[in-house]
Amino acid sequence: MASAITHFVAGAALALPALESAPIRRALPRWAIPVSSGLLAVAPDLDTFALRALGLPYGTFFGHRGFFHSPFFLILISTGLAWMVAGRGCAWLAVLWSCCAITHPLLDMLTDGGSGVMLLFPFSERRLFFPWRPIHVSPIEISRFFGRAGYILRSELPFCAAALTIGVAGLLAGKLKRG
């Protein structure tokens, strides 16, 4: 998996243009837009807790990078959360949160380890990687991450920079359009 840091940065950065969205600002305070989006981008890795608590093997349907990493599930959960937060006015918030959450499996597909991501569920349970895999996999155990943090974060830096560039450019474009 990519690190939680990079997952958060990607989700939060790509949500920056939503700071100019009136429908989303009606649902959330400005500060909560990138924070909630970053947290939803990290959330698929919570499956590791279920993996350990229930004794599920890594590569099973509900194991790490399985069903809970599928865009199908991420869209359902993001839409449900948006409905709980914003009620019937949740459409744009659901789109935002779904897109930010889906950055998670896409980044994981760029890693050089693990068993791939169940990206195409419900059409396929096959686990996939992109052909190009430049991100060094981050260990599931936090204690093991710190010994390799520099090595991992250096491989993730271009993706964080790209997400920040896209997010800031979108935010500035929105401000220019309004201003």
Side-chain angles (χ1 to χ4, degrees):
M1 67 185 189
S3 73
I5 296 164
T6 295
H7 284 306
F8 183 87
V9 168
L14 294 176
L16 291 176
L19 294 173
E20 297 299 311
S21 168
I24 293 174
R25 283 198 336 258
R26 279 192 291 276
L28 293 173
R30 288 177 66 86
W31 67 267
I33 295 169
V35 171
S36 62
S37 299
L39 290 173
L40 277 165
V42 173
D45 279 340
L46 293 175
D47 66 1
T48 59
F49 293 109
L51 189 85
R52 289 185 181 148
L54 301 173
L56 297 172
Y58 181 89
T60 62
F61 181 80
F62 289 113
H64 189 58
R65 291 186 174 180
F67 174 72
F68 298 116
H69 276 61
S70 71
F72 175 82
F73 172 77
L74 296 173
I75 290 168
L76 286 178
I77 197 74
S78 296
T79 301
L81 289 170
W83 183 79
M84 289 190 307
V85 168
R88 289 193 294 192
C90 73
W92 286 112
L93 186 57
V95 169
L96 171 67
W97 280 351
S98 294
C99 290
C100 290
I102 290 170
T103 64
H104 187 108
L106 296 177
L107 283 168
D108 280 0
M109 289 177 64
L110 289 166
T111 63
D112 62 2
S115 62
V117 177
M118 198 183 292
L119 191 72
L120 301 177
F121 180 83
F123 306 106
S124 171
E125 292 182 19
R126 186 168 172 233
R127 298 191 179 220
L128 306 169
F129 281 110
F130 286 121
W132 182 54
R133 296 169 50 189
I135 296 175
H136 301 302
V137 72
S138 179
I140 291 174
E141 296 167 7
I142 294 170
S143 61
R144 289 183 48 221
F145 169 77
F146 290 109
R148 302 181 61 214
Y151 175 73
I152 293 164
L153 293 173
R154 275 191 301 279
S155 72
E156 296 174 346
L157 185 60
F159 299 93
C160 290
L164 286 165
T165 301
I166 292 166
V168 169
L171 177 62
L172 293 175
K175 286 182 183 263
L176 289 174
K177 185 178 177 185
R178 280 190 32 197

